[in-house]
Amino acid sequence: FLDAYDPLDPTGNITIKWEIVSWTADGYVAAVTMSNFQMYRSIMNPGWILGWQWAKKEVIWSMVGAQTTEQGDCSKFKGNVPHCCKKNPIVVDLLPGVPYNQQFSNCCKAGVMSAWGQDPTGSVSAFQVSVGLAGTSNKTVKLPKNFNLLGPGLGYTCGPAKVVPSTVYLTPDRRRKTQALMTWNVTCTYSQYLTSRNPSCCVSFSSFYNETITPCPTCACGCQNKNNCVMSDSKQAHRKGINTARKDNAPLLQCTHHMCPIRVHWHVKLNYKDYWRVKIAITNFNYRMNYTQWTLGAQHPNLNSVTQVFIFDYKPLVPYESINDTGMFYGMKFYNDLLMEAGPQGNVQSEVLLGKNKDTFTFKQGWAFPRKVYFNGDECLLPPPDTYPFLPNSAKINSIAVSAMTLSLLTFILTL
């Protein structure tokens, strides 16, 4: 769990809550709720995959709102056949549009879960499971073990299930409380290192006060895809079926020197008396992936004075009450919350107007550029600090204007 700690989102996790709502002849019926408490990390297509190991010889009689990927060997059952007899069941969400009698609250979104900071109502996924051969009391029920969560790839590490106080419910008229018969929680935290040893995005910089553009570092995301990339001007980039995603989520990248699926460009655009303006552009270089409900996290000391954000939505993130230097940008719903695959439509951009604090504001030594950038919860690789666009030492002197001024001054002196 040590490498899963995120200083910009210290309490971020996915909590899986099991609530036994009724006992059956040989087990129980439970509501399983997955809540994504991560501020800027969502679970995208193809969605979450949840697995565990039964403590005894439990079976799943039925499920509502989700299903297991395999039934397993149920040959010993003569009458009713369970939904799943595997010791290690693998559960996935149902697709949108399933029949109403197969739905459960907060189900059927293909496993997609929004980030808590972006859309709290969309950050929950749930299903109901009927478990047999499991014991019919709090003392005989054994908690499942070895939980694992794919979201959709590697990255999450789940702790052991722990019994917690039973969940309390309010009736619709809010005059009576009921409670679950038994409740336990499982906490899963994310580590970018488990997902990939290389970053998945990089950052480039530019500014109005310097002609130099600081590009992403070479091979910022590793160059293992260098032999299987597509030139943007080649016929291959326009062939039919190139945008078809693969089951293993293997990328097909546009050939670049950084070989990253995502590049974030931060441009210091204008300087006013009391404000300064930044332009942010996000470019997708992966032909096989479009990003739904993308998020962009940034850390910069002046984000405590964001005045206006154009085209993107913005939310300040305050992991520590005394410091307000972190914020999250994300697309407007139904407008630009979808970042398309590589190509002419594969970018989104916005401008940010920030107020100046005269005590801290400066363009010197790269102050105008962010300290950290996250895309979809993964930290992006920034260029080395000594390559940032620097402030010119002095403005270029116009020799003609200086000569004219000198002549005028000389004439003025001679007339005295």
Side-chain angles (χ1 to χ4, degrees):
F1 285 95
L2 291 177
D3 64 340
Y5 176 74
D6 185 349
L8 300 189
D9 189 13
T11 58
N13 67 71
I14 291 182
T15 298
I16 305 166
K17 179 182 289 187
W18 285 60
E19 302 161 294
I20 296 180
V21 294
S22 64
W23 301 112
T24 61
D26 67 340
Y28 59 84
V29 175
V32 181
T33 305
M34 302 170 59
S35 301
N36 182 10
F37 293 118
Q38 299 173 107
M39 292 303 293
Y40 48 76
R41 183 178 295 108
S42 62
I43 291 184
M44 300 196 322
N45 279 325
W48 56 261
I49 301 173
L50 179 64
W52 63 85
Q53 180 182 340
W54 290 119
K56 300 191 290 185
K57 296 182 179 180
E58 293 92 336
V59 296
I60 298 176
W61 282 113
S62 63
M63 298 188 76
V64 181
Q67 63 184 3
T68 60
T69 57
E70 296 181 49
Q71 183 182 33
D73 182 8
C74 296
S75 58
K76 67 179 181 179
F77 292 89
K78 306 301 180 186
N80 292 334
V81 178
H83 175 81
C84 178
C85 300
K86 289 182 70 68
K87 180 78 171 177
N88 301 284
I90 304 296
V91 175
V92 295
D93 196 10
L94 296 181
L95 299 176
V98 297
Y100 187 75
N101 62 352
Q102 297 178 29
Q103 295 184 25
F104 192 68
S105 60
N106 291 310
C107 84
C108 315
K109 296 180 284 187
V112 174
M113 297 171 67
S114 303
W116 175 261
Q118 182 179 15
D119 180 13
T121 58
S123 66
V124 180
S125 190
F127 59 89
Q128 181 177 284
V129 58
S130 177
V131 183
L133 308 180
T136 56
S137 70
N138 290 19
K139 293 183 178 180
T140 56
V141 167
K142 298 294 183 183
L143 276 56
K145 303 180 293 183
N146 300 333
F147 279 86
N148 60 79
L149 174 66
L150 300 179
L154 299 171
Y156 288 94
T157 302
C158 298
K162 295 181 179 179
V163 177
V164 296
S166 296
T167 307
V168 176
Y169 312 101
L170 277 173
T171 54
D173 61 5
R174 306 186 69 82
R175 300 177 65 188
R176 169 176 160 78
K177 291 181 180 179
T178 60
Q179 69 180 56
L181 305 176
M182 185 178 183
T183 303
W184 62 81
N185 281 358
V186 179
T187 302
C188 302
T189 54
Y190 182 84
S191 168
Q192 184 175 347
Y193 184 79
L194 289 178
T195 305
S196 173
R197 297 193 177 188
N198 296 309
S200 59
C201 52
C202 66
V203 184
S204 56
F205 295 140
S206 62
S207 66
F208 70 89
Y209 55 75
N210 194 309
E211 295 180 355
T212 305
I213 296 176
T214 302
C216 286
T218 301
C219 291
C221 299
C223 279
Q224 60 268 31
N225 294 312
K226 195 73 174 178
N227 297 325
N228 187 29
C229 63
V230 176
M231 300 298 294
S232 60
D233 56 352
S234 70
K235 293 182 179 179
Q236 190 181 2
H238 306 286
R239 80 171 192 269
K240 188 176 181 181
I242 192 173
N243 301 124
T244 304
R246 286 176 39 166
K247 289 185 178 180
D248 60 358
N249 277 344
L252 179 61
L253 300 181
Q254 190 179 113
C255 296
T256 57
H257 72 278
H258 52 75
M259 291 306 293
C260 286
I262 294 291
R263 183 193 66 200
V264 179
H265 186 74
W266 180 285
H267 174 65
V268 181
K269 186 175 181 180
L270 289 169
N271 183 28
Y272 307 106
K273 180 181 178 182
D274 297 317
Y275 303 94
W276 62 296
R277 186 185 290 253
V278 169
K279 183 174 182 178
I280 301 172
I282 309 170
T283 306
N284 185 1
F285 292 98
N286 188 352
Y287 285 101
R288 290 187 182 142
M289 172 75 77
N290 53 37
Y291 295 86
T292 56
Q293 297 185 325
W294 57 267
T295 63
L296 180 73
Q299 184 182 31
H300 188 283
N302 213 171
L303 287 180
N304 60 359
S305 300
V306 171
T307 304
Q308 189 172 358
V309 178
F310 305 87
I311 305 178
F312 290 172
D313 281 328
Y314 176 77
K315 177 178 288 187
L317 304 176
V318 190
Y320 312 101
E321 292 184 3
S322 60
I323 305 173
N324 178 17
D325 65 349
T326 309
M328 179 179 73
F329 302 90
Y330 53 98
M332 294 180 175
K333 204 162 189 177
F334 307 122
Y335 180 64
N336 59 355
D337 59 343
L338 172 64
L339 175 56
M340 297 292 288
E341 65 273 356
Q345 304 297 320
N347 70 89
V348 288
Q349 49 191 303
S350 177
E351 294 189 6
V352 185
L353 190 66
L354 302 107
K356 284 184 180 178
N357 182 337
K358 295 180 180 179
D359 296 329
T360 59
F361 179 83
T362 178
F363 281 132
K364 295 180 180 179
Q365 298 176 337
W367 185 92
F369 300 103
R371 311 304 185 255
K372 287 188 176 182
V373 174
Y374 289 73
F375 180 78
N376 272 12
D378 284 344
E379 187 172 355
C380 304
L381 184 68
L382 272 64
D386 58 350
T387 64
Y388 287 15
F390 59 86
L391 200 63
N393 292 328
S394 60
K396 292 182 179 179
I397 299 174
N398 190 323
S399 57
I400 297 176
V402 171
S403 301
M405 188 172 64
T406 305
L407 182 63
S408 300
L409 183 61
L410 185 61
T411 305
F412 176 72
I413 293 172
L414 292 174
T415 56
L416 288 178

